[in-house]
Amino acid sequence: MNYAPKTIYLDDRAREYPLTKTIRKRFPTVPVQIVKDSKSFIKEFNKRKNAISEGKRSLFLTINKGKFIKKCPGTKQYLCCGYQILHQASQCTLDCSYCILQSYFNNPLITIFTNLDDLFHALDKTLDKNKKR
């Protein structure tokens, strides 16, 4: 099954990234709405009656201002696996009624971070730091 969003929400800060341009070319007929303030936009989107199901049919292109690589959160009761998580996107197109992640995330939109150069820089730093000598 190929995914095609009904709406693309585009964070104004993500307009000029190559991945943004590639995605927009891939979906030339999908309406695009420019988002000036992503925090306010997500807060308002969450107030919609069907925010989760509508989020599955929407694509939010933005930038990641936080960390791209994060340690696995683990729990106090178990020995942590030590894995690291590469955070380039969030949510999924499936609308599983039992999925706890749908209510765990504060953003119901399928979100893609388009600042890939920053991601690759973070990945290079992590790989260099963890090289076996």
Side-chain angles (χ1 to χ4, degrees), residues 55-114:
K56 302 291 181 187
R57 297 184 306 271
S58 305
L59 192 58
F60 182 42
L61 305 179
T62 188
I63 61 170
N64 184 348
K65 294 185 353 181
K67 293 182 178 183
F68 277 104
I69 300 173
K70 301 176 183 181
K71 290 183 180 182
C72 178
T75 65
K76 292 180 183 179
Q77 292 83 12
Y78 298 98
L79 179 62
C80 188
C81 62
Y83 282 178
Q84 295 187 35
I85 300 164
L86 182 64
H87 187 64
Q88 198 267 320
S90 63
Q91 293 294 3
C92 76
T93 59
L94 303 177
D95 196 9
C96 304
S97 60
Y98 55 83
C99 180
I100 193 163
L101 293 178
Q102 292 188 106
S103 57
Y104 175 77
F105 291 116
N106 65 351
N107 176 359
L109 296 148
I110 296 174
T111 301
I112 298 176
F113 301 117
T114 61

Side-chain angles (χ1 to χ4, degrees), residues 45-62:
F45 193 93
N46 276 322
K47 292 179 183 176
R48 295 179 184 188
K49 184 178 179 181
N50 298 316
I52 292 175
S53 61
E54 191 177 333
K56 302 291 181 187
R57 297 184 306 271
S58 305
L59 192 58
F60 182 42
L61 305 179
T62 188

